[in-house]
Amino acid sequence: MSENIKISVKDLDLYYGSFQALKKVNLEVAEHKITALIGPSGCGKSTFLKTQNRMNDLEKGVKIEGQLLLDNKIDIYKDIDAMDLRKRVGMVFQQPNPFPKSIYDNVAYGPRINGIKSKAKLDEIVERSLKQAAIWDELKDRLTKSALGLSGGQQQRLCIARTLAVEPDVLLMDEPTSALDPISTSSIEDLAQELKENYTIVIVTHNMQQAVRISDYTAFFLLGEMVEFGKTEDLFAAPKDPRTERYITGRFG
């Protein structure tokens, strides 16, 4: 891979108690690209996504072996505090999860807990983040209204703006469109394509057409193992592993 590598994963094993959920995963996430993780339910793709900002730390009985490096130098599990890591590696979930606060306070939340008090600075961050999430024009006159009154697609873009407000390097997206209608899905896909100019994106998707439409690289997971990884067009046009071919042609999963 000739691109700069943003996250490098080496021999990653993850256990929930005695159950091994990830087996010797090796993967390099290219900077300013979209990497899609595909595979049937329960194959480990969301678990793998969460290792990249230590969301699995929050679950009992998790044991992780192997190495995840950020920028080829920071060991995600040894060299950085989880809170600092999550500022650099943000996450957007399957179900939009706005806070029960105003639209403005949702976006300003992260910068505030990181010590930004100036109203002018917060105003600037809120405007910039909502513009980056392509929703400023829809929301600029409603900033004091509750975020819970927005549609699902708007809520998801607000959650993306909230994640962008702390200026992460990496955006992890766990099936960000699975709860949305086709029009909202399309707008989130377009947004992801725009955001990769400034961010590195890793997206879990059940929708193989979505992976084809928006990603540069695709990793196929099966039973905790990463079976195949490559440029999206190559993986879908000429998969090297018969298991990948069976999955993408719809013969299982």
Side-chain angles (χ1 to χ4, degrees):
M1 202 189 272
S2 56
E3 287 95 354
N4 288 336
I5 302 305
K6 192 70 193 171
I7 296 177
S8 174
V9 181
K10 295 173 182 167
D11 292 336
L12 177 71
D13 290 315
L14 183 141
Y15 299 85
Y16 291 116
S18 60
F19 172 69
Q20 187 168 2
L22 293 174
K23 301 164 188 167
K24 286 279 174 287
V25 177
N26 288 279
L27 179 70
E28 292 185 328
V29 175
E31 191 169 35
H32 297 313
K33 300 287 180 191
I34 299 177
T35 299
L37 310 178
I38 64 167
S41 292
C43 67
K45 54 191 188 294
S46 289
T47 298
F48 175 64
L49 190 77
K50 290 176 189 166
T51 62
Q52 294 168 59
N53 76 342
R54 292 178 51 178
M55 291 301 280
N56 295 316
D57 285 16
L58 308 172
E59 299 180 41
K60 282 200 176 100
V62 170
K63 185 175 80 170
I64 289 177
E65 294 167 354
Q67 193 178 51
L68 286 96
L69 295 180
L70 186 61
D71 292 329
N72 274 328
K73 55 180 188 285
I74 297 167
D75 186 315
I76 285 174
Y77 282 84
K78 291 181 182 157
D79 302 336
I80 187 169
D81 164 81
M83 290 295 288
D84 289 336
L85 174 67
R86 289 180 198 137
K87 275 183 233 163
R88 295 194 56 187
V89 183
M91 189 152 189
V92 176
F93 296 91
Q94 191 169 353
Q95 293 287 343
N97 59 342
F99 302 138
K101 300 171 179 282
S102 71
I103 290 163
Y104 183 99
D105 286 341
N106 263 270
V107 184
Y109 179 83
R112 278 186 178 132
I113 60 173
N114 290 320
I116 294 173
K117 301 279 190 286
S118 149
K119 173 84 167 65
K121 182 72 180 146
L122 289 169
D123 288 352
E124 189 186 304
I125 291 170
V126 169
E127 181 172 345
R128 184 201 74 229
S129 305
L130 290 170
K131 279 180 172 165
Q132 281 186 306
I135 198 167
W136 170 251
D137 290 340
E138 288 172 57
L139 300 187
K140 64 184 180 195
D141 301 322
R142 302 166 59 185
L143 297 178
T144 57
K145 300 271 194 314
S146 169
L148 302 181
L150 299 176
S151 71
Q154 288 174 322
Q155 287 188 3
Q156 193 63 300
R157 280 187 286 162
L158 177 66
C159 292
I160 292 170
R162 186 177 69 195
T163 305
L164 298 178
V166 295
E167 298 185 42
D169 300 341
V170 180
L171 195 55
L172 306 177
M173 305 178 104
D174 192 1
E175 296 196 52
T177 62
S178 65
L180 303 180
D181 62 87
I183 291 169
S184 299
T185 294
S186 182
S187 71
I188 299 282
E189 289 181 1
D190 291 346
L191 175 58
Q193 294 276 40
E194 287 166 33
L195 289 174
K196 77 175 183 183
E197 287 183 23
N198 298 307
Y199 303 92
T200 300
I201 298 175
V202 185
I203 182 168
V204 166
T205 179
H206 258 113
N207 181 332
M208 283 184 278
Q209 286 71 35
Q210 182 170 71
V212 171
R213 283 193 298 267
I214 69 168
S215 70
D216 302 286
Y217 292 93
T218 296
F220 169 54
F221 281 76
L222 185 62
L223 301 173
E225 197 185 320
M226 194 189 73
V227 171
E228 189 165 342
F229 174 66
K231 287 194 166 171
T232 297
E233 62 214 55
D234 298 342
L235 185 135
F236 280 92
K240 295 187 174 74
D241 190 294
R243 291 169 296 175
T244 314
E245 185 177 20
R246 284 201 300 275
Y247 182 69
I248 64 178
T249 55
R251 279 178 281 165
F252 78 90

